[in-house]
Coordinates of all heavy atoms in Angstrom, one line a residue:
M1 N 53.5 -63.5 -29.9 CA 52.4 -62.8 -30.5 C 51.6 -63.8 -31.4 O 52.1 -64.7 -31.9 CB 53.0 -61.7 -31.4 CG 53.8 -60.7 -30.6 SD 53.8 -59.1 -31.4 CE 54.9 -58.3 -30.3
A2 N 50.3 -63.5 -31.5 CA 49.5 -64.3 -32.3 C 49.8 -64.3 -33.7 O 50.2 -63.3 -34.2 CB 48.0 -63.9 -32.0
S3 N 49.5 -65.4 -34.4 CA 49.9 -65.4 -35.9 C 48.6 -65.0 -36.7 O 48.8 -64.7 -37.9 CB 50.4 -66.7 -36.3 OG 49.5 -67.7 -36.0
N4 N 47.4 -65.2 -36.1 CA 46.2 -64.9 -36.9 C 45.7 -63.5 -36.6 O 45.1 -63.3 -35.6 CB 45.1 -65.9 -36.5 CG 44.0 -65.9 -37.5 OD1 44.0 -65.1 -38.4 ND2 43.0 -66.7 -37.1
V5 N 46.1 -62.5 -37.4 CA 45.9 -61.1 -37.1 C 44.7 -60.6 -37.9 O 44.5 -60.8 -39.1 CB 47.1 -60.3 -37.5 CG1 46.9 -58.8 -37.2 CG2 48.3 -60.9 -36.8
T6 N 43.8 -59.9 -37.1 CA 42.7 -59.2 -37.8 C 43.2 -57.8 -38.0 O 43.5 -57.1 -37.0 CB 41.5 -59.2 -36.9 OG1 41.1 -60.5 -36.6 CG2 40.3 -58.4 -37.5
F7 N 43.2 -57.3 -39.2 CA 43.8 -56.0 -39.5 C 42.8 -54.9 -39.3 O 43.3 -53.7 -39.1 CB 44.3 -56.0 -41.0 CG 45.6 -56.7 -41.1 CD1 45.7 -58.1 -41.3 CD2 46.8 -56.0 -40.9 CE1 46.9 -58.7 -41.4 CE2 48.1 -56.7 -41.0 CZ 48.1 -58.1 -41.2
D8 N 41.6 -55.2 -39.2 CA 40.6 -54.1 -38.9 C 40.3 -54.2 -37.4 O 39.6 -55.1 -37.0 CB 39.3 -54.3 -39.8 CG 38.4 -53.1 -39.6 OD1 38.4 -52.5 -38.6 OD2 37.7 -52.9 -40.6
V9 N 40.7 -53.2 -36.7 CA 40.5 -53.2 -35.2 C 39.1 -53.3 -34.8 O 38.8 -53.9 -33.8 CB 41.2 -51.9 -34.6 CG1 40.3 -50.7 -34.9 CG2 41.3 -52.1 -33.1
R10 N 38.1 -52.9 -35.7 CA 36.7 -53.0 -35.3 C 36.3 -54.5 -35.1 O 35.3 -54.8 -34.5 CB 35.8 -52.4 -36.4 CG 36.0 -50.9 -36.4 CD 35.3 -50.3 -37.6 NE 35.8 -50.8 -38.8 CZ 35.3 -50.6 -40.0 NH1 34.2 -49.9 -40.2 NH2 35.8 -51.2 -41.1
F11 N 37.0 -55.4 -35.7 CA 36.7 -56.8 -35.6 C 37.5 -57.6 -34.5 O 37.5 -58.8 -34.4 CB 36.8 -57.5 -36.9 CG 35.9 -56.9 -37.9 CD1 36.4 -56.3 -39.1 CD2 34.5 -56.9 -37.8 CE1 35.6 -55.7 -40.0 CE2 33.7 -56.3 -38.7 CZ 34.2 -55.7 -39.8
S12 N 38.3 -56.8 -33.7 CA 39.1 -57.4 -32.7 C 38.3 -57.5 -31.4 O 37.8 -56.5 -30.9 CB 40.3 -56.6 -32.4 OG 41.1 -56.5 -33.6
T13 N 38.1 -58.7 -30.9 CA 37.2 -58.8 -29.7 C 37.7 -58.1 -28.5 O 36.9 -57.7 -27.6 CB 36.9 -60.3 -29.4 OG1 38.2 -61.0 -29.3 CG2 36.2 -61.0 -30.5
W14 N 39.0 -58.0 -28.3 CA 39.6 -57.4 -27.1 C 39.1 -55.9 -27.0 O 39.0 -55.4 -25.9 CB 41.1 -57.5 -27.1 CG 41.8 -57.0 -28.3 CD1 42.2 -57.7 -29.4 CD2 42.1 -55.6 -28.6 NE1 42.8 -56.9 -30.3 CE2 42.7 -55.6 -29.9 CE3 41.9 -54.4 -28.0 CZ2 43.1 -54.4 -30.5 CZ3 42.3 -53.2 -28.6 CH2 42.9 -53.2 -29.8
R15 N 38.8 -55.3 -28.1 CA 38.4 -53.9 -28.1 C 37.2 -53.6 -27.3 O 37.0 -52.5 -26.8 CB 38.2 -53.5 -29.6 CG 38.0 -52.0 -29.8 CD 38.1 -51.7 -31.2 NE 37.9 -50.2 -31.4 CZ 36.7 -49.7 -31.8 NH1 35.6 -50.5 -31.9 NH2 36.5 -48.4 -31.9
E16 N 36.3 -54.7 -27.1 CA 35.1 -54.5 -26.3 C 35.4 -54.1 -24.9 O 34.6 -53.4 -24.2 CB 34.3 -55.8 -26.3 CG 33.8 -56.1 -27.7 CD 33.2 -57.6 -27.8 OE1 33.1 -58.2 -26.7 OE2 33.0 -58.0 -28.9
D17 N 36.6 -54.4 -24.4 CA 37.0 -54.1 -23.0 C 38.0 -53.0 -22.9 O 38.5 -52.7 -21.8 CB 37.6 -55.4 -22.3 CG 36.7 -56.5 -22.2 OD1 35.5 -56.3 -21.9 OD2 37.1 -57.7 -22.5
A18 N 38.1 -52.3 -24.0 CA 39.1 -51.2 -24.0 C 38.7 -50.0 -23.1 O 37.6 -49.6 -23.1 CB 39.2 -50.6 -25.5
A19 N 39.7 -49.5 -22.4 CA 39.5 -48.4 -21.5 C 39.2 -47.1 -22.3 O 38.5 -46.2 -21.7 CB 40.7 -48.2 -20.6
C20 N 39.6 -47.0 -23.5 CA 39.4 -45.8 -24.3 C 38.0 -45.8 -24.9 O 37.6 -44.7 -25.4 CB 40.5 -45.7 -25.3 SG 40.6 -47.1 -26.4
L21 N 37.3 -46.9 -24.9 CA 35.9 -46.8 -25.4 C 35.1 -46.0 -24.5 O 35.0 -46.1 -23.3 CB 35.3 -48.2 -25.5 CG 35.6 -49.1 -26.7 CD1 34.7 -50.3 -26.6 CD2 35.2 -48.3 -28.0
G22 N 34.4 -45.1 -25.1 CA 33.5 -44.2 -24.3 C 34.2 -43.1 -23.6 O 33.5 -42.4 -22.8
V23 N 35.4 -42.9 -23.8 CA 36.1 -41.8 -23.2 C 35.6 -40.5 -23.8 O 35.8 -40.3 -25.0 CB 37.7 -41.9 -23.4 CG1 38.4 -40.6 -23.0 CG2 38.2 -43.0 -22.6
V24 N 34.9 -39.7 -23.0 CA 34.3 -38.5 -23.6 C 35.1 -37.2 -23.3 O 34.9 -36.2 -23.8 CB 32.9 -38.3 -23.0 CG1 32.0 -39.4 -23.5 CG2 32.9 -38.2 -21.5
E25 N 36.2 -37.4 -22.5 CA 37.0 -36.3 -22.2 C 37.8 -35.9 -23.5 O 37.7 -36.6 -24.5 CB 38.1 -36.6 -21.1 CG 37.4 -37.0 -19.8 CD 38.5 -37.8 -19.0 OE1 39.6 -37.3 -18.9 OE2 38.1 -38.8 -18.3
D26 N 38.5 -34.8 -23.4 CA 39.2 -34.3 -24.6 C 40.6 -35.0 -24.6 O 41.6 -34.4 -24.5 CB 39.4 -32.8 -24.5 CG 39.9 -32.2 -25.8 OD1 39.8 -32.9 -26.8 OD2 40.5 -31.1 -25.7
V27 N 40.5 -36.3 -24.8 CA 41.7 -37.1 -24.9 C 41.8 -37.7 -26.3 O 40.9 -38.3 -26.8 CB 41.7 -38.3 -23.9 CG1 43.0 -39.1 -24.1 CG2 41.6 -37.7 -22.5
S28 N 43.0 -37.4 -26.9 CA 43.2 -37.9 -28.3 C 44.2 -39.0 -28.2 O 45.2 -38.9 -27.6 CB 43.8 -36.8 -29.2 OG 44.1 -37.4 -30.4
F29 N 43.8 -40.1 -28.9 CA 44.8 -41.2 -29.0 C 45.6 -41.1 -30.3 O 46.4 -42.0 -30.6 CB 44.0 -42.6 -28.9 CG 43.6 -42.9 -27.5 CD1 42.4 -42.3 -27.0 CD2 44.4 -43.6 -26.7 CE1 42.0 -42.5 -25.7 CE2 44.0 -43.8 -25.4 CZ 42.8 -43.3 -24.9
F30 N 45.4 -40.0 -31.0 CA 46.2 -39.7 -32.2 C 46.7 -38.3 -32.0 O 46.4 -37.4 -32.8 CB 45.4 -39.9 -33.5 CG 45.1 -41.3 -33.7 CD1 43.9 -41.9 -33.2 CD2 45.9 -42.1 -34.5 CE1 43.6 -43.2 -33.4 CE2 45.6 -43.4 -34.7 CZ 44.5 -44.0 -34.2
P31 N 47.5 -38.0 -30.9 CA 47.9 -36.7 -30.7 C 49.1 -36.3 -31.6 O 49.7 -37.1 -32.2 CB 48.4 -36.8 -29.2 CG 48.9 -38.2 -29.1 CD 47.9 -39.0 -29.9
D32 N 49.3 -35.0 -31.6 CA 50.5 -34.4 -32.3 C 51.7 -35.1 -31.7 O 51.8 -35.1 -30.4 CB 50.5 -32.9 -32.2 CG 51.6 -32.3 -32.9 OD1 52.8 -32.7 -32.7 OD2 51.4 -31.2 -33.5
P33 N 52.6 -35.6 -32.4 CA 53.8 -36.2 -31.8 C 54.7 -35.3 -30.9 O 55.4 -35.8 -30.1 CB 54.6 -36.6 -33.1 CG 53.7 -36.7 -34.2 CD 52.6 -35.7 -33.9
E34 N 54.5 -34.0 -31.1 CA 55.2 -33.1 -30.3 C 54.4 -32.7 -29.0 O 55.0 -32.0 -28.1 CB 55.5 -31.8 -31.1 CG 56.2 -32.0 -32.4 CD 57.6 -32.6 -32.2 OE1 58.3 -32.2 -31.2 OE2 58.0 -33.5 -33.0
D35 N 53.2 -33.1 -28.9 CA 52.3 -32.7 -27.8 C 52.5 -33.7 -26.6 O 51.7 -34.6 -26.5 CB 50.9 -32.6 -28.2 CG 50.0 -31.9 -27.2 OD1 50.4 -31.9 -26.0 OD2 48.9 -31.5 -27.5
L36 N 53.5 -33.5 -25.8 CA 53.8 -34.5 -24.8 C 52.7 -34.6 -23.7 O 52.5 -35.6 -23.1 CB 55.1 -34.1 -24.1 CG 56.4 -34.0 -25.0 CD1 57.6 -33.7 -24.2 CD2 56.5 -35.3 -25.8
S37 N 52.0 -33.4 -23.5 CA 50.9 -33.5 -22.6 C 49.7 -34.4 -23.1 O 49.2 -35.2 -22.3 CB 50.4 -32.0 -22.3 OG 49.2 -32.1 -21.5
A38 N 49.4 -34.2 -24.3 CA 48.3 -35.1 -24.9 C 48.8 -36.5 -24.9 O 47.9 -37.4 -24.7 CB 48.0 -34.6 -26.3
I39 N 50.0 -36.8 -25.2 CA 50.5 -38.2 -25.2 C 50.4 -38.8 -23.8 O 50.0 -39.9 -23.6 CB 52.0 -38.2 -25.7 CG1 52.0 -37.9 -27.2 CG2 52.6 -39.6 -25.5 CD1 53.4 -37.7 -27.8
A40 N 50.8 -38.0 -22.8 CA 50.7 -38.4 -21.4 C 49.3 -38.7 -21.0 O 49.0 -39.7 -20.3 CB 51.3 -37.4 -20.5
Q41 N 48.3 -37.9 -21.5 CA 46.9 -38.1 -21.2 C 46.4 -39.5 -21.8 O 45.8 -40.3 -21.1 CB 46.1 -37.0 -21.8 CG 46.1 -35.7 -20.9 CD 45.1 -34.7 -21.5 OE1 45.1 -34.5 -22.7 NE2 44.3 -34.1 -20.7
A42 N 46.8 -39.7 -23.0 CA 46.4 -41.0 -23.6 C 47.0 -42.2 -22.9 O 46.4 -43.2 -22.6 CB 46.7 -41.0 -25.1
K43 N 48.3 -42.0 -22.6 CA 49.0 -43.1 -22.0 C 48.5 -43.4 -20.6 O 48.5 -44.6 -20.1 CB 50.5 -42.8 -21.8 CG 51.3 -42.9 -23.1 CD 52.8 -42.7 -22.9 CE 53.6 -43.2 -24.0 NZ 55.0 -43.3 -23.7
A44 N 48.0 -42.4 -19.9 CA 47.4 -42.6 -18.6 C 46.2 -43.5 -18.6 O 45.9 -44.3 -17.8 CB 47.0 -41.2 -17.9
I45 N 45.4 -43.3 -19.7 CA 44.2 -44.2 -19.9 C 44.6 -45.6 -20.2 O 44.1 -46.6 -19.7 CB 43.3 -43.6 -20.9 CG1 42.7 -42.3 -20.4 CG2 42.1 -44.6 -21.3 CD1 41.9 -41.5 -21.3
C46 N 45.6 -45.7 -21.1 CA 46.1 -47.0 -21.5 C 46.7 -47.8 -20.2 O 46.6 -49.0 -20.1 CB 47.2 -46.9 -22.5 SG 46.7 -46.3 -24.1
A47 N 47.2 -47.0 -19.3 CA 47.8 -47.6 -18.1 C 46.8 -48.4 -17.3 O 47.2 -49.3 -16.6 CB 48.5 -46.6 -17.3
S48 N 45.6 -48.0 -17.4 CA 44.5 -48.7 -16.6 C 43.7 -49.7 -17.5 O 42.7 -50.2 -17.0 CB 43.6 -47.7 -15.9 OG 42.9 -47.0 -16.9
C49 N 44.1 -49.9 -18.7 CA 43.3 -50.6 -19.6 C 43.6 -52.1 -19.4 O 44.7 -52.6 -19.5 CB 43.7 -50.2 -21.0 SG 42.7 -51.1 -22.3
P50 N 42.5 -52.9 -19.3 CA 42.7 -54.4 -19.1 C 43.1 -55.1 -20.4 O 43.5 -56.3 -20.3 CB 41.3 -54.8 -18.7 CG 40.3 -53.8 -19.3 CD 41.1 -52.5 -19.3
V51 N 43.0 -54.5 -21.5 CA 43.5 -55.1 -22.7 C 44.6 -54.4 -23.4 O 44.9 -54.5 -24.6 CB 42.3 -55.3 -23.7 CG1 41.2 -56.2 -23.2 CG2 41.7 -53.9 -24.0
A52 N 45.4 -53.8 -22.6 CA 46.6 -53.0 -23.1 C 47.6 -54.0 -23.9 O 48.1 -53.6 -24.9 CB 47.3 -52.3 -22.0
S53 N 47.8 -55.1 -23.3 CA 48.7 -56.1 -24.0 C 48.2 -56.5 -25.3 O 48.9 -56.5 -26.3 CB 48.9 -57.3 -23.1 OG 49.7 -58.2 -23.7
E54 N 46.9 -56.8 -25.4 CA 46.3 -57.3 -26.7 C 46.4 -56.1 -27.7 O 46.6 -56.3 -28.9 CB 44.9 -57.7 -26.5 CG 44.7 -59.0 -25.7 CD 44.6 -58.8 -24.2 OE1 45.1 -57.8 -23.7 OE2 44.2 -59.8 -23.5
C55 N 46.1 -54.9 -27.2 CA 46.1 -53.7 -28.1 C 47.5 -53.5 -28.6 O 47.7 -53.3 -29.8 CB 45.6 -52.5 -27.2 SG 45.7 -50.9 -28.1
L56 N 48.5 -53.6 -27.8 CA 49.9 -53.3 -28.2 C 50.3 -54.4 -29.2 O 50.9 -54.1 -30.3 CB 50.8 -53.3 -27.0 CG 52.3 -53.2 -27.3 CD1 52.6 -51.9 -28.1 CD2 53.1 -53.3 -26.1
T57 N 50.0 -55.6 -28.9 CA 50.3 -56.7 -29.8 C 49.7 -56.5 -31.2 O 50.3 -56.7 -32.3 CB 49.8 -58.1 -29.3 OG1 50.5 -58.3 -28.1 CG2 50.1 -59.2 -30.2
W58 N 48.4 -56.1 -31.2 CA 47.7 -55.9 -32.5 C 48.4 -54.8 -33.2 O 48.6 -54.9 -34.5 CB 46.2 -55.6 -32.2 CG 45.5 -55.3 -33.4 CD1 44.8 -56.2 -34.2 CD2 45.3 -54.0 -34.1 NE1 44.3 -55.5 -35.3 CE2 44.5 -54.2 -35.2 CE3 45.7 -52.7 -33.7 CZ2 44.2 -53.2 -36.1 CZ3 45.3 -51.7 -34.6 CH2 44.5 -51.9 -35.7
A59 N 48.7 -53.7 -32.5 CA 49.3 -52.5 -33.2 C 50.6 -52.9 -33.8 O 51.0 -52.4 -34.9 CB 49.4 -51.4 -32.2
I60 N 51.4 -53.7 -33.1 CA 52.7 -54.1 -33.6 C 52.6 -55.1 -34.8 O 53.2 -54.9 -35.8 CB 53.6 -54.7 -32.5 CG1 53.9 -53.6 -31.5 CG2 54.8 -55.4 -33.0 CD1 54.6 -54.0 -30.3
E61 N 51.7 -56.0 -34.6 CA 51.6 -57.0 -35.7 C 51.0 -56.4 -37.0 O 51.3 -56.8 -38.1 CB 50.6 -58.2 -35.3 CG 51.3 -59.1 -34.3 CD 50.4 -60.3 -33.9 OE1 49.2 -60.2 -34.0 OE2 51.0 -61.3 -33.5
T62 N 50.1 -55.4 -36.8 CA 49.5 -54.8 -38.0 C 50.3 -53.5 -38.4 O 49.9 -52.8 -39.3 CB 48.1 -54.4 -37.8 OG1 48.0 -53.5 -36.6 CG2 47.2 -55.7 -37.5
N63 N 51.4 -53.2 -37.7 CA 52.3 -52.1 -38.0 C 51.6 -50.8 -38.1 O 51.7 -50.0 -39.1 CB 53.0 -52.4 -39.4 CG 54.3 -51.6 -39.5 OD1 54.8 -51.1 -38.5 ND2 54.8 -51.5 -40.7
Q64 N 50.9 -50.5 -37.0 CA 50.2 -49.2 -37.0 C 51.2 -48.1 -36.9 O 52.0 -48.1 -36.0 CB 49.2 -49.1 -35.8 CG 48.1 -50.1 -35.9 CD 47.2 -49.9 -37.1 OE1 46.7 -48.8 -37.3 NE2 47.1 -51.0 -37.9
S65 N 51.2 -47.1 -37.8 CA 52.2 -46.1 -37.8 C 51.9 -44.8 -37.1 O 52.7 -43.9 -36.9 CB 52.6 -45.7 -39.3 OG 51.4 -45.2 -39.9
E66 N 50.6 -44.7 -36.6 CA 50.2 -43.5 -35.9 C 49.4 -43.9 -34.7 O 48.9 -45.0 -34.6 CB 49.3 -42.6 -36.8 CG 50.1 -42.1 -38.0 CD 49.2 -41.2 -38.9 OE1 48.2 -40.7 -38.4 OE2 49.5 -41.1 -40.1
G67 N 49.3 -42.9 -33.8 CA 48.5 -43.1 -32.6 C 49.1 -43.8 -31.4 O 50.2 -44.3 -31.5
I68 N 48.4 -43.7 -30.3 CA 48.9 -44.4 -29.1 C 48.1 -45.7 -29.0 O 46.9 -45.7 -29.0 CB 48.6 -43.5 -27.8 CG1 49.2 -42.1 -27.9 CG2 49.0 -44.2 -26.6 CD1 50.7 -42.1 -28.0
W69 N 48.8 -46.8 -29.0 CA 48.2 -48.1 -28.9 C 48.9 -48.9 -27.8 O 50.2 -48.9 -27.8 CB 48.3 -48.9 -30.2 CG 47.6 -48.3 -31.4 CD1 48.1 -47.4 -32.3 CD2 46.3 -48.6 -31.8 NE1 47.2 -47.1 -33.2 CE2 46.0 -47.8 -32.9 CE3 45.2 -49.4 -31.3 CZ2 44.8 -47.8 -33.6 CZ3 44.0 -49.4 -31.9 CH2 43.8 -48.6 -33.1
G70 N 48.2 -49.4 -26.9 CA 48.8 -50.2 -25.8 C 49.7 -49.4 -25.0 O 50.7 -49.9 -24.4
G71 N 49.5 -48.1 -24.9 CA 50.3 -47.2 -24.1 C 51.6 -46.8 -24.7 O 52.5 -46.3 -24.0
H72 N 51.8 -47.1 -26.0 CA 53.1 -46.8 -26.7 C 52.9 -45.9 -27.9 O 51.9 -46.0 -28.6 CB 53.7 -48.1 -27.1 CG 54.2 -49.0 -26.0 ND1 53.3 -49.6 -25.1 CD2 55.4 -49.3 -25.5 CE1 54.0 -50.3 -24.2 NE2 55.3 -50.1 -24.4
T73 N 53.8 -45.0 -28.0 CA 53.9 -44.1 -29.2 C 54.4 -44.9 -30.4 O 54.9 -46.0 -30.3 CB 54.8 -43.0 -28.9 OG1 56.2 -43.5 -28.8 CG2 54.5 -42.2 -27.7
P74 N 54.2 -44.3 -31.6 CA 54.7 -45.0 -32.8 C 56.2 -45.3 -32.7 O 56.6 -46.3 -33.1 CB 54.4 -44.0 -33.9 CG 53.2 -43.2 -33.4 CD 53.4 -43.1 -31.9
K75 N 57.0 -44.3 -32.2 CA 58.4 -44.5 -32.1 C 58.7 -45.7 -31.2 O 59.6 -46.5 -31.5 CB 59.1 -43.2 -31.6 CG 60.6 -43.3 -31.5 CD 61.2 -42.0 -31.0 CE 62.7 -42.1 -30.9 NZ 63.3 -40.9 -30.4
E76 N 58.0 -45.8 -30.1 CA 58.2 -46.9 -29.1 C 57.9 -48.2 -29.8 O 58.5 -49.2 -29.6 CB 57.4 -46.6 -27.8 CG 57.9 -45.4 -27.0 CD 57.0 -45.0 -26.0 OE1 55.7 -45.3 -26.1 OE2 57.4 -44.2 -25.1
R77 N 56.8 -48.2 -30.5 CA 56.3 -49.4 -31.1 C 57.3 -49.9 -32.2 O 57.5 -51.1 -32.4 CB 54.9 -49.3 -31.7 CG 53.8 -49.2 -30.6 CD 52.5 -49.5 -31.3 NE 52.2 -48.6 -32.4 CZ 51.7 -47.4 -32.3 NH1 51.4 -46.9 -31.1 NH2 51.5 -46.7 -33.4
R78 N 57.9 -48.9 -32.9 CA 58.8 -49.3 -34.0 C 60.0 -50.1 -33.4 O 60.5 -51.0 -34.0 CB 59.3 -48.0 -34.7 CG 58.4 -47.5 -35.8 CD 59.0 -46.6 -36.7 NE 59.5 -45.3 -36.1 CZ 58.7 -44.3 -35.8 NH1 57.4 -44.3 -36.2 NH2 59.1 -43.2 -35.3
S79 N 60.4 -49.6 -32.2 CA 61.5 -50.3 -31.6 C 61.1 -51.7 -31.2 O 61.9 -52.7 -31.4 CB 62.0 -49.5 -30.3 OG 62.9 -50.2 -29.6
I80 N 59.9 -51.9 -30.6 CA 59.4 -53.2 -30.2 C 59.3 -54.1 -31.4 O 59.6 -55.3 -31.5 CB 58.1 -53.1 -29.5 CG1 58.3 -52.3 -28.1 CG2 57.5 -54.5 -29.2 CD1 57.0 -51.9 -27.5
R81 N 58.7 -53.5 -32.5 CA 58.5 -54.3 -33.7 C 59.8 -54.8 -34.4 O 59.9 -55.9 -34.8 CB 57.7 -53.4 -34.7 CG 57.3 -54.2 -36.0 CD 56.5 -53.3 -36.9 NE 56.5 -53.9 -38.3 CZ 55.7 -54.9 -38.7 NH1 54.8 -55.4 -37.8 NH2 55.7 -55.3 -39.9
R82 N 60.8 -53.9 -34.3 CA 62.1 -54.3 -34.8 C 62.7 -55.5 -34.1 O 63.1 -56.5 -34.7 CB 63.1 -53.1 -34.7 CG 63.9 -52.8 -35.9 CD 64.8 -51.6 -35.8 NE 64.8 -50.8 -34.7 CZ 64.2 -49.6 -34.6 NH1 63.5 -49.2 -35.6 NH2 64.2 -48.9 -33.5
R83 N 62.6 -55.5 -32.8 CA 63.0 -56.6 -32.0 C 62.2 -57.9 -32.3 O 62.7 -59.0 -32.3 CB 63.0 -56.3 -30.5 CG 64.1 -55.3 -30.1 CD 64.3 -55.2 -28.6 NE 63.1 -55.0 -27.8 CZ 62.6 -53.8 -27.5 NH1 63.3 -52.7 -27.9 NH2 61.5 -53.6 -26.8
W84 N 60.9 -57.7 -32.4 CA 60.0 -58.8 -32.7 C 60.4 -59.5 -34.1 O 60.5 -60.7 -34.2 CB 58.6 -58.3 -32.8 CG 57.5 -59.3 -33.2 CD1 57.3 -60.5 -32.6 CD2 56.6 -59.2 -34.2 NE1 56.2 -61.1 -33.2 CE2 55.8 -60.3 -34.2 CE3 56.3 -58.2 -35.2 CZ2 54.7 -60.6 -35.1 CZ3 55.2 -58.4 -36.1 CH2 54.5 -59.5 -36.0
I85 N 60.6 -58.6 -35.1 CA 61.0 -59.2 -36.4 C 62.4 -59.9 -36.3 O 62.6 -60.9 -36.9 CB 61.0 -58.0 -37.4 CG1 59.6 -57.6 -37.7 CG2 61.7 -58.5 -38.7 CD1 59.4 -56.4 -38.6
E86 N 63.3 -59.3 -35.5 CA 64.6 -59.9 -35.4 C 64.5 -61.3 -34.7 O 65.1 -62.3 -35.1 CB 65.5 -59.1 -34.5 CG 66.0 -57.8 -35.3 CD 66.7 -56.8 -34.4 OE1 66.8 -57.1 -33.1 OE2 67.1 -55.8 -34.9
E87 N 63.6 -61.4 -33.7 CA 63.3 -62.7 -33.1 C 62.8 -63.7 -34.1 O 63.1 -64.9 -34.1 CB 62.4 -62.5 -31.9 CG 63.0 -61.9 -30.7 CD 62.0 -61.7 -29.6 OE1 61.0 -62.4 -29.5 OE2 62.2 -60.8 -28.8
I88 N 61.8 -63.3 -34.9 CA 61.2 -64.2 -35.9 C 62.3 -64.7 -36.9 O 62.4 -65.8 -37.2 CB 60.1 -63.5 -36.7 CG1 58.9 -63.2 -35.7 CG2 59.7 -64.3 -37.9 CD1 57.8 -62.4 -36.3
E89 N 63.2 -63.7 -37.3 CA 64.2 -64.1 -38.3 C 65.2 -65.0 -37.6 O 65.7 -66.0 -38.3 CB 64.9 -62.8 -38.8 CG 64.0 -62.0 -39.7 CD 64.6 -60.7 -40.1 OE1 65.6 -60.2 -39.5 OE2 64.0 -60.0 -41.0
R90 N 65.5 -64.8 -36.4 CA 66.5 -65.7 -35.7 C 65.9 -67.1 -35.6 O 66.6 -68.1 -35.7 CB 66.8 -65.2 -34.3 CG 68.1 -64.4 -34.2 CD 68.6 -64.2 -32.8 NE 67.6 -63.6 -31.9 CZ 67.5 -62.3 -31.8 NH1 68.2 -61.5 -32.5 NH2 66.6 -61.8 -31.0
A91 N 64.6 -67.2 -35.3 CA 63.9 -68.5 -35.1 C 63.7 -69.3 -36.4 O 63.4 -70.5 -36.4 CB 62.5 -68.3 -34.4
S92 N 63.8 -68.6 -37.5 CA 63.5 -69.3 -38.8 C 64.8 -69.8 -39.5 O 65.8 -69.5 -39.1 CB 62.7 -68.4 -39.8 OG 63.5 -67.2 -40.0
Ligands
SF4_1 S1 45.7 -49.8 -24.4 FE1 45.0 -47.7 -24.7 S2 44.5 -47.5 -26.9 FE2 44.6 -49.7 -26.4 S3 42.5 -50.3 -26.0 FE3 43.5 -49.8 -24.1 S4 43.0 -47.6 -23.7 FE4 42.6 -48.1 -25.9

């Protein structure tokens, strides 16, 4: 993961290629955590996104606590972030 993190997503260059930009359908990337259908809809768009990896990395590095980023829910990201921090701690 990159060490130079931009915390405001509006200034992240990868966002220009995001599949969710311009999505006019009724798709929420901040769905109710219990709404599995809405989560699946957002994840389906992320699945075709050319910058999903960059998006996920950004969300983990900046510890985004809500929303679907890089095709992952907050709970899924917490697990990835925990492993990422453990790796950093092991390496130091
Ligand atoms: S991975 Fe999903 S949330 Fe992230 S930029 Fe792509 S479509 Fe948007």
Side-chain angles (χ1 to χ4, degrees):
M1 299 206 184
S3 58
N4 192 5
V5 182
T6 302
F7 283 86
D8 188 332
V9 72
R10 291 173 301 173
F11 301 116
S12 298
T13 54
W14 53 263
R15 190 169 176 264
E16 296 166 11
D17 297 319
C20 54
L21 271 187
V23 170
V24 292
E25 301 163 41
D26 190 22
V27 176
S28 172
F29 286 85
F30 292 88
D32 182 313
E34 305 297 320
D35 190 343
L36 300 183
S37 174
I39 291 170
Q41 281 185 314
K43 282 187 165 192
I45 293 173
C46 295
S48 66
C49 181
V51 292
S53 176
E54 290 88 342
C55 175
L56 177 60
T57 297
W58 179 85
I60 290 171
E61 288 185 335
T62 59
N63 201 17
Q64 297 299 306
S65 61
E66 296 181 22
I68 305 296
W69 296 91
H72 291 71
T73 63
K75 183 178 179 184
E76 293 165 341
R77 288 196 308 275
R78 279 195 296 277
S79 173
I80 295 169
R81 183 176 164 83
R82 229 180 349 263
R83 290 196 303 273
W84 175 55
I85 290 171
E86 286 169 2
E87 283 176 26
I88 291 171
E89 289 173 349
R90 265 197 302 275
S92 59

